[in-house]
PDB file of all heavy atoms in Angstrom:
ATOM      1  N   LYS R  12       0.812  -1.226   0.000  1.00 91.00           N
ATOM      2  CA  LYS R  12       0.000   0.000   0.000  1.00 91.00           C
ATOM      3  C   LYS R  12       0.846   1.278   0.000  1.00 91.00           C
ATOM      4  O   LYS R  12       0.386   2.342  -0.433  1.00 91.00           O
ATOM      5  CB  LYS R  12      -0.947   0.010   1.199  1.00 91.00           C
ATOM      6  CG  LYS R  12      -0.268   0.022   2.551  1.00 91.00           C
ATOM      7  CD  LYS R  12      -1.284  -0.003   3.675  1.00 91.00           C
ATOM      8  CE  LYS R  12      -0.607  -0.004   5.047  1.00 91.00           C
ATOM      9  NZ  LYS R  12       0.188   1.197   5.293  1.00 91.00           N
ATOM     10  N   ASP R  13       2.099   1.181   0.468  1.00 94.00           N
ATOM     11  CA  ASP R  13       2.950   2.357   0.534  1.00 94.00           C
ATOM     12  C   ASP R  13       3.941   2.459  -0.627  1.00 94.00           C
ATOM     13  O   ASP R  13       4.798   3.353  -0.645  1.00 94.00           O
ATOM     14  CB  ASP R  13       3.732   2.367   1.854  1.00 94.00           C
ATOM     15  CG  ASP R  13       2.821   2.505   3.061  1.00 94.00           C
ATOM     16  OD1 ASP R  13       1.806   3.225   2.959  1.00 94.00           O
ATOM     17  OD2 ASP R  13       3.107   1.891   4.108  1.00 94.00           O
ATOM     18  N   SER R  14       3.848   1.559  -1.596  1.00 94.00           N
ATOM     19  CA  SER R  14       4.764   1.586  -2.735  1.00 94.00           C
ATOM     20  C   SER R  14       4.426   2.732  -3.684  1.00 94.00           C
ATOM     21  O   SER R  14       3.271   3.129  -3.812  1.00 94.00           O
ATOM     22  CB  SER R  14       4.716   0.253  -3.498  1.00 94.00           C
ATOM     23  OG  SER R  14       5.321  -0.778  -2.746  1.00 94.00           O
ATOM     24  N   GLN R  15       5.473   3.242  -4.340  1.00 92.00           N
ATOM     25  CA  GLN R  15       5.316   4.268  -5.367  1.00 92.00           C
ATOM     26  C   GLN R  15       5.802   3.680  -6.687  1.00 92.00           C
ATOM     27  O   GLN R  15       6.998   3.441  -6.852  1.00 92.00           O
ATOM     28  CB  GLN R  15       6.138   5.506  -5.009  1.00 92.00           C
ATOM     29  CG  GLN R  15       5.760   6.130  -3.677  1.00 92.00           C
ATOM     30  CD  GLN R  15       6.692   7.250  -3.289  1.00 92.00           C
ATOM     31  OE1 GLN R  15       7.079   8.063  -4.129  1.00 92.00           O
ATOM     32  NE2 GLN R  15       7.074   7.295  -2.024  1.00 92.00           N
ATOM     33  N   VAL R  16       4.877   3.423  -7.576  1.00 87.00           N
ATOM     34  CA  VAL R  16       5.195   2.675  -8.791  1.00 87.00           C
ATOM     35  C   VAL R  16       4.837   3.480 -10.029  1.00 87.00           C
ATOM     36  O   VAL R  16       3.710   3.952 -10.167  1.00 87.00           O
ATOM     37  CB  VAL R  16       4.452   1.320  -8.818  1.00 87.00           C
ATOM     38  CG1 VAL R  16       4.788   0.551 -10.072  1.00 87.00           C
ATOM     39  CG2 VAL R  16       4.786   0.499  -7.574  1.00 87.00           C
ATOM     40  N   GLU R  17       5.813   3.627 -10.909  1.00 78.00           N
ATOM     41  CA  GLU R  17       5.591   4.295 -12.188  1.00 78.00           C
ATOM     42  C   GLU R  17       6.156   3.449 -13.309  1.00 78.00           C
ATOM     43  O   GLU R  17       7.366   3.345 -13.468  1.00 78.00           O
ATOM     44  CB  GLU R  17       6.300   5.658 -12.203  1.00 78.00           C
ATOM     45  CG  GLU R  17       5.650   6.720 -11.344  1.00 78.00           C
ATOM     46  CD  GLU R  17       6.355   8.049 -11.501  1.00 78.00           C
ATOM     47  OE1 GLU R  17       6.864   8.306 -12.605  1.00 78.00           O
ATOM     48  OE2 GLU R  17       6.407   8.804 -10.521  1.00 78.00           O
ATOM     49  N   TYR R  18       5.298   2.792 -14.059  1.00 71.00           N
ATOM     50  CA  TYR R  18       5.733   2.155 -15.287  1.00 71.00           C
ATOM     51  C   TYR R  18       4.534   1.955 -16.196  1.00 71.00           C
ATOM     52  O   TYR R  18       3.392   2.135 -15.773  1.00 71.00           O
ATOM     53  CB  TYR R  18       6.509   0.856 -15.041  1.00 71.00           C
ATOM     54  CG  TYR R  18       5.845  -0.205 -14.215  1.00 71.00           C
ATOM     55  CD1 TYR R  18       4.788  -0.962 -14.714  1.00 71.00           C
ATOM     56  CD2 TYR R  18       6.314  -0.502 -12.943  1.00 71.00           C
ATOM     57  CE1 TYR R  18       4.214  -1.967 -13.969  1.00 71.00           C
ATOM     58  CE2 TYR R  18       5.729  -1.504 -12.191  1.00 71.00           C
ATOM     59  CZ  TYR R  18       4.685  -2.237 -12.700  1.00 71.00           C
ATOM     60  OH  TYR R  18       4.105  -3.221 -11.953  1.00 71.00           O
ATOM     61  N   PRO R  19       4.768   1.622 -17.470  1.00 75.00           N
ATOM     62  CA  PRO R  19       3.694   1.620 -18.469  1.00 75.00           C
ATOM     63  C   PRO R  19       2.516   0.716 -18.098  1.00 75.00           C
ATOM     64  O   PRO R  19       2.688  -0.309 -17.432  1.00 75.00           O
ATOM     65  CB  PRO R  19       4.407   1.102 -19.730  1.00 75.00           C
ATOM     66  CG  PRO R  19       5.830   1.458 -19.526  1.00 75.00           C
ATOM     67  CD  PRO R  19       6.069   1.293 -18.062  1.00 75.00           C
ATOM     68  N   PRO R  20       1.308   1.102 -18.548  1.00 75.00           N
ATOM     69  CA  PRO R  20       0.102   0.319 -18.256  1.00 75.00           C
ATOM     70  C   PRO R  20       0.230  -1.151 -18.639  1.00 75.00           C
ATOM     71  O   PRO R  20      -0.265  -2.029 -17.920  1.00 75.00           O
ATOM     72  CB  PRO R  20      -0.975   1.016 -19.091  1.00 75.00           C
ATOM     73  CG  PRO R  20      -0.493   2.423 -19.212  1.00 75.00           C
ATOM     74  CD  PRO R  20       0.995   2.327 -19.302  1.00 75.00           C
ATOM     75  N   LEU R  21       0.895  -1.444 -19.770  1.00 75.00           N
ATOM     76  CA  LEU R  21       1.044  -2.830 -20.190  1.00 75.00           C
ATOM     77  C   LEU R  21       1.817  -3.624 -19.163  1.00 75.00           C
ATOM     78  O   LEU R  21       1.471  -4.776 -18.867  1.00 75.00           O
ATOM     79  CB  LEU R  21       1.741  -2.904 -21.563  1.00 75.00           C
ATOM     80  CG  LEU R  21       1.957  -4.320 -22.121  1.00 75.00           C
ATOM     81  CD1 LEU R  21       0.619  -5.040 -22.276  1.00 75.00           C
ATOM     82  CD2 LEU R  21       2.690  -4.259 -23.454  1.00 75.00           C
ATOM     83  N   ARG R  22       2.875  -3.030 -18.601  1.00 73.00           N
ATOM     84  CA  ARG R  22       3.651  -3.711 -17.574  1.00 73.00           C
ATOM     85  C   ARG R  22       2.795  -3.966 -16.336  1.00 73.00           C
ATOM     86  O   ARG R  22       2.901  -5.012 -15.696  1.00 73.00           O
ATOM     87  CB  ARG R  22       4.879  -2.871 -17.194  1.00 73.00           C
ATOM     88  CG  ARG R  22       6.047  -2.960 -18.159  1.00 73.00           C
ATOM     89  CD  ARG R  22       6.875  -4.217 -17.945  1.00 73.00           C
ATOM     90  NE  ARG R  22       7.523  -4.236 -16.651  1.00 73.00           N
ATOM     91  CZ  ARG R  22       8.742  -3.775 -16.407  1.00 73.00           C
ATOM     92  NH1 ARG R  22       9.442  -3.218 -17.392  1.00 73.00           N
ATOM     93  NH2 ARG R  22       9.276  -3.850 -15.208  1.00 73.00           N
ATOM     94  N   LYS R  23       1.943  -3.019 -15.984  1.00 74.00           N
ATOM     95  CA  LYS R  23       1.073  -3.189 -14.823  1.00 74.00           C
ATOM     96  C   LYS R  23       0.098  -4.348 -15.045  1.00 74.00           C
ATOM     97  O   LYS R  23      -0.143  -5.164 -14.152  1.00 74.00           O
ATOM     98  CB  LYS R  23       0.296  -1.906 -14.549  1.00 74.00           C
ATOM     99  CG  LYS R  23       1.158  -0.766 -14.041  1.00 74.00           C
ATOM    100  CD  LYS R  23       0.307   0.453 -13.726  1.00 74.00           C
ATOM    101  CE  LYS R  23       1.177   1.598 -13.196  1.00 74.00           C
ATOM    102  NZ  LYS R  23       0.376   2.797 -12.865  1.00 74.00           N
ATOM    103  N   ILE R  24      -0.458  -4.411 -16.251  1.00 78.00           N
ATOM    104  CA  ILE R  24      -1.412  -5.477 -16.574  1.00 78.00           C
ATOM    105  C   ILE R  24      -0.708  -6.831 -16.535  1.00 78.00           C
ATOM    106  O   ILE R  24      -1.231  -7.807 -15.975  1.00 78.00           O
ATOM    107  CB  ILE R  24      -2.044  -5.232 -17.960  1.00 78.00           C
ATOM    108  CG1 ILE R  24      -2.926  -3.976 -17.916  1.00 78.00           C
ATOM    109  CG2 ILE R  24      -2.862  -6.442 -18.400  1.00 78.00           C
ATOM    110  CD1 ILE R  24      -3.403  -3.518 -19.280  1.00 78.00           C
ATOM    111  N   MET R  25       0.494  -6.887 -17.103  1.00 76.00           N
ATOM    112  CA  MET R  25       1.257  -8.134 -17.101  1.00 76.00           C
ATOM    113  C   MET R  25       1.586  -8.582 -15.683  1.00 76.00           C
ATOM    114  O   MET R  25       1.455  -9.760 -15.327  1.00 76.00           O
ATOM    115  CB  MET R  25       2.542  -7.957 -17.914  1.00 76.00           C
ATOM    116  CG  MET R  25       2.309  -7.815 -19.415  1.00 76.00           C
ATOM    117  SD  MET R  25       3.761  -7.194 -20.299  1.00 76.00           S
ATOM    118  CE  MET R  25       4.987  -8.413 -19.871  1.00 76.00           C
ATOM    119  N   SER R  26       1.999  -7.635 -14.847  1.00 75.00           N
ATOM    120  CA  SER R  26       2.356  -7.953 -13.464  1.00 75.00           C
ATOM    121  C   SER R  26       1.147  -8.456 -12.685  1.00 75.00           C
ATOM    122  O   SER R  26       1.240  -9.436 -11.936  1.00 75.00           O
ATOM    123  CB  SER R  26       2.943  -6.713 -12.778  1.00 75.00           C
ATOM    124  OG  SER R  26       4.163  -6.335 -13.358  1.00 75.00           O
ATOM    125  N   MET R  27       0.015  -7.790 -12.861  1.00 79.00           N
ATOM    126  CA  MET R  27      -1.184  -8.209 -12.152  1.00 79.00           C
ATOM    127  C   MET R  27      -1.651  -9.594 -12.603  1.00 79.00           C
ATOM    128  O   MET R  27      -2.034 -10.441 -11.789  1.00 79.00           O
ATOM    129  CB  MET R  27      -2.305  -7.175 -12.369  1.00 79.00           C
ATOM    130  CG  MET R  27      -3.611  -7.542 -11.664  1.00 79.00           C
ATOM    131  SD  MET R  27      -3.436  -7.725  -9.867  1.00 79.00           S
ATOM    132  CE  MET R  27      -3.173  -6.014  -9.389  1.00 79.00           C
ATOM    133  N   GLY R  28      -1.590  -9.822 -13.908  1.00 83.00           N
ATOM    134  CA  GLY R  28      -1.995 -11.123 -14.423  1.00 83.00           C
ATOM    135  C   GLY R  28      -1.115 -12.249 -13.894  1.00 83.00           C
ATOM    136  O   GLY R  28      -1.612 -13.315 -13.496  1.00 83.00           O
ATOM    137  N   TYR R  29       0.185 -12.003 -13.861  1.00 80.00           N
ATOM    138  CA  TYR R  29       1.104 -13.035 -13.363  1.00 80.00           C
ATOM    139  C   TYR R  29       0.932 -13.241 -11.860  1.00 80.00           C
ATOM    140  O   TYR R  29       1.021 -14.359 -11.366  1.00 80.00           O
ATOM    141  CB  TYR R  29       2.540 -12.641 -13.684  1.00 80.00           C
ATOM    142  CG  TYR R  29       3.538 -13.765 -13.497  1.00 80.00           C
ATOM    143  CD1 TYR R  29       3.378 -14.983 -14.148  1.00 80.00           C
ATOM    144  CD2 TYR R  29       4.640 -13.598 -12.662  1.00 80.00           C
ATOM    145  CE1 TYR R  29       4.294 -16.009 -13.983  1.00 80.00           C
ATOM    146  CE2 TYR R  29       5.561 -14.631 -12.487  1.00 80.00           C
ATOM    147  CZ  TYR R  29       5.381 -15.826 -13.151  1.00 80.00           C
ATOM    148  OH  TYR R  29       6.283 -16.849 -12.972  1.00 80.00           O
ATOM    149  N   TYR R  30       0.632 -12.152 -11.136  1.00 78.00           N
ATOM    150  CA  TYR R  30       0.369 -12.264  -9.695  1.00 78.00           C
ATOM    151  C   TYR R  30      -0.830 -13.177  -9.429  1.00 78.00           C
ATOM    152  O   TYR R  30      -0.779 -14.069  -8.578  1.00 78.00           O
ATOM    153  CB  TYR R  30       0.123 -10.881  -9.091  1.00 78.00           C
ATOM    154  CG  TYR R  30      -0.696 -10.906  -7.828  1.00 78.00           C
ATOM    155  CD1 TYR R  30      -0.181 -11.426  -6.640  1.00 78.00           C
ATOM    156  CD2 TYR R  30      -2.015 -10.437  -7.820  1.00 78.00           C
ATOM    157  CE1 TYR R  30      -0.944 -11.468  -5.483  1.00 78.00           C
ATOM    158  CE2 TYR R  30      -2.782 -10.480  -6.673  1.00 78.00           C
ATOM    159  CZ  TYR R  30      -2.247 -10.991  -5.507  1.00 78.00           C
ATOM    160  OH  TYR R  30      -3.010 -11.041  -4.371  1.00 78.00           O
ATOM    161  N   VAL R  31      -1.923 -12.938 -10.158  1.00 85.00           N
ATOM    162  CA  VAL R  31      -3.121 -13.761  -9.972  1.00 85.00           C
ATOM    163  C   VAL R  31      -2.822 -15.217 -10.299  1.00 85.00           C
ATOM    164  O   VAL R  31      -3.233 -16.142  -9.570  1.00 85.00           O
ATOM    165  CB  VAL R  31      -4.275 -13.232 -10.847  1.00 85.00           C
ATOM    166  CG1 VAL R  31      -5.465 -14.192 -10.805  1.00 85.00           C
ATOM    167  CG2 VAL R  31      -4.694 -11.836 -10.390  1.00 85.00           C
ATOM    168  N   PHE R  32      -2.090 -15.429 -11.374  1.00 86.00           N
ATOM    169  CA  PHE R  32      -1.725 -16.790 -11.776  1.00 86.00           C
ATOM    170  C   PHE R  32      -0.922 -17.494 -10.680  1.00 86.00           C
ATOM    171  O   PHE R  32      -1.217 -18.635 -10.304  1.00 86.00           O
ATOM    172  CB  PHE R  32      -0.912 -16.718 -13.070  1.00 86.00           C
ATOM    173  CG  PHE R  32      -0.229 -18.005 -13.451  1.00 86.00           C
ATOM    174  CD1 PHE R  32      -0.956 -19.099 -13.889  1.00 86.00           C
ATOM    175  CD2 PHE R  32       1.157 -18.113 -13.372  1.00 86.00           C
ATOM    176  CE1 PHE R  32      -0.322 -20.283 -14.237  1.00 86.00           C
ATOM    177  CE2 PHE R  32       1.796 -19.293 -13.718  1.00 86.00           C
ATOM    178  CZ  PHE R  32       1.054 -20.380 -14.153  1.00 86.00           C
ATOM    179  N   LEU R  33       0.089 -16.816 -10.138  1.00 86.00           N
ATOM    180  CA  LEU R  33       0.931 -17.421  -9.095  1.00 86.00           C
ATOM    181  C   LEU R  33       0.150 -17.636  -7.802  1.00 86.00           C
ATOM    182  O   LEU R  33       0.371 -18.630  -7.100  1.00 86.00           O
ATOM    183  CB  LEU R  33       2.157 -16.549  -8.825  1.00 86.00           C
ATOM    184  CG  LEU R  33       3.181 -16.445  -9.953  1.00 86.00           C
ATOM    185  CD1 LEU R  33       4.329 -15.524  -9.549  1.00 86.00           C
ATOM    186  CD2 LEU R  33       3.730 -17.822 -10.320  1.00 86.00           C
ATOM    187  N   LYS R  34      -0.745 -16.716  -7.505  1.00 83.00           N
ATOM    188  CA  LYS R  34      -1.567 -16.851  -6.300  1.00 83.00           C
ATOM    189  C   LYS R  34      -2.413 -18.113  -6.372  1.00 83.00           C
ATOM    190  O   LYS R  34      -2.518 -18.877  -5.392  1.00 83.00           O
ATOM    191  CB  LYS R  34      -2.468 -15.626  -6.161  1.00 83.00           C
ATOM    192  CG  LYS R  34      -3.229 -15.541  -4.849  1.00 83.00           C
ATOM    193  CD  LYS R  34      -2.329 -15.109  -3.732  1.00 83.00           C
ATOM    194  CE  LYS R  34      -3.093 -14.845  -2.455  1.00 83.00           C
ATOM    195  NZ  LYS R  34      -2.188 -14.480  -1.335  1.00 83.00           N
ATOM    196  N   LEU R  35      -3.004 -18.352  -7.519  1.00 86.00           N
ATOM    197  CA  LEU R  35      -3.837 -19.536  -7.701  1.00 86.00           C
ATOM    198  C   LEU R  35      -2.993 -20.815  -7.692  1.00 86.00           C
ATOM    199  O   LEU R  35      -3.405 -21.847  -7.155  1.00 86.00           O
ATOM    200  CB  LEU R  35      -4.621 -19.438  -9.013  1.00 86.00           C
ATOM    201  CG  LEU R  35      -5.693 -18.343  -9.074  1.00 86.00           C
ATOM    202  CD1 LEU R  35      -6.241 -18.223 -10.487  1.00 86.00           C
ATOM    203  CD2 LEU R  35      -6.811 -18.634  -8.083  1.00 86.00           C
ATOM    204  N   LEU R  36      -1.798 -20.731  -8.279  1.00 91.00           N
ATOM    205  CA  LEU R  36      -0.963 -21.917  -8.421  1.00 91.00           C
ATOM    206  C   LEU R  36      -0.276 -22.307  -7.122  1.00 91.00           C
ATOM    207  O   LEU R  36      -0.254 -23.496  -6.751  1.00 91.00           O
ATOM    208  CB  LEU R  36       0.092 -21.677  -9.513  1.00 91.00           C
ATOM    209  CG  LEU R  36       0.941 -22.890  -9.933  1.00 91.00           C
ATOM    210  CD1 LEU R  36       0.058 -23.985 -10.520  1.00 91.00           C
ATOM    211  CD2 LEU R  36       1.989 -22.452 -10.957  1.00 91.00           C
ATOM    212  N   PHE R  37       0.282 -21.326  -6.408  1.00 91.00           N
ATOM    213  CA  PHE R  37       1.088 -21.632  -5.224  1.00 91.00           C
ATOM    214  C   PHE R  37       0.386 -21.340  -3.895  1.00 91.00           C
ATOM    215  O   PHE R  37       0.755 -21.915  -2.871  1.00 91.00           O
ATOM    216  CB  PHE R  37       2.408 -20.845  -5.263  1.00 91.00           C
ATOM    217  CG  PHE R  37       3.357 -21.318  -6.321  1.00 91.00           C
ATOM    218  CD1 PHE R  37       3.343 -20.753  -7.591  1.00 91.00           C
ATOM    219  CD2 PHE R  37       4.269 -22.338  -6.069  1.00 91.00           C
ATOM    220  CE1 PHE R  37       4.224 -21.182  -8.573  1.00 91.00           C
ATOM    221  CE2 PHE R  37       5.145 -22.769  -7.039  1.00 91.00           C
ATOM    222  CZ  PHE R  37       5.125 -22.195  -8.296  1.00 91.00           C
ATOM    223  N   GLY R  38      -0.566 -20.425  -3.906  1.00 87.00           N
ATOM    224  CA  GLY R  38      -1.287 -20.126  -2.677  1.00 87.00           C
ATOM    225  C   GLY R  38      -0.462 -19.426  -1.614  1.00 87.00           C
ATOM    226  O   GLY R  38      -0.817 -19.463  -0.427  1.00 87.00           O
ATOM    227  N   LEU R  39       0.643 -18.789  -1.984  1.00 88.00           N
ATOM    228  CA  LEU R  39       1.462 -18.082  -1.007  1.00 88.00           C
ATOM    229  C   LEU R  39       0.732 -16.838  -0.506  1.00 88.00           C
ATOM    230  O   LEU R  39       0.025 -16.182  -1.253  1.00 88.00           O
ATOM    231  CB  LEU R  39       2.799 -17.663  -1.625  1.00 88.00           C
ATOM    232  CG  LEU R  39       3.732 -18.783  -2.101  1.00 88.00           C
ATOM    233  CD1 LEU R  39       4.992 -18.188  -2.715  1.00 88.00           C
ATOM    234  CD2 LEU R  39       4.103 -19.710  -0.955  1.00 88.00           C
ATOM    235  N   LYS R  40       0.945 -16.517   0.751  1.00 87.00           N
ATOM    236  CA  LYS R  40       0.296 -15.349   1.338  1.00 87.00           C
ATOM    237  C   LYS R  40       1.141 -14.093   1.081  1.00 87.00           C
ATOM    238  O   LYS R  40       1.538 -13.374   2.000  1.00 87.00           O
ATOM    239  CB  LYS R  40       0.087 -15.561   2.836  1.00 87.00           C
ATOM    240  CG  LYS R  40      -0.850 -16.715   3.139  1.00 87.00           C
ATOM    241  CD  LYS R  40      -0.992 -16.931   4.634  1.00 87.00           C
ATOM    242  CE  LYS R  40      -1.932 -18.098   4.930  1.00 87.00           C
ATOM    243  NZ  LYS R  40      -2.057 -18.340   6.400  1.00 87.00           N
TER     244      LYS R  40
END
C-alpha cells in the first residue's frame, strides 16, 4: 500500500496477471 510505482500500463497489466496466476498456483500469502 505504501509503494510508489511508475511504469507503463502494459507492464502493470502483465504484473497483475502473473500475480493472480501465481496466487492460484502456489497459494502463497
Side-chain angles (χ1 to χ4, degrees):
K12 63 181 179 62
D13 295 324
S14 289
Q15 301 174 41
V16 180
E17 287 184 32
Y18 55 73
L21 180 59
R22 281 280 295 268
K23 291 183 179 181
I24 293 170
M25 290 165 58
S26 294
M27 180 59 70
Y29 193 55
Y30 156 70
V31 172
F32 168 70
L33 293 179
K34 188 76 173 177
L35 293 172
L36 188 62
F37 290 91
L39 297 179
K40 296 178 180 179

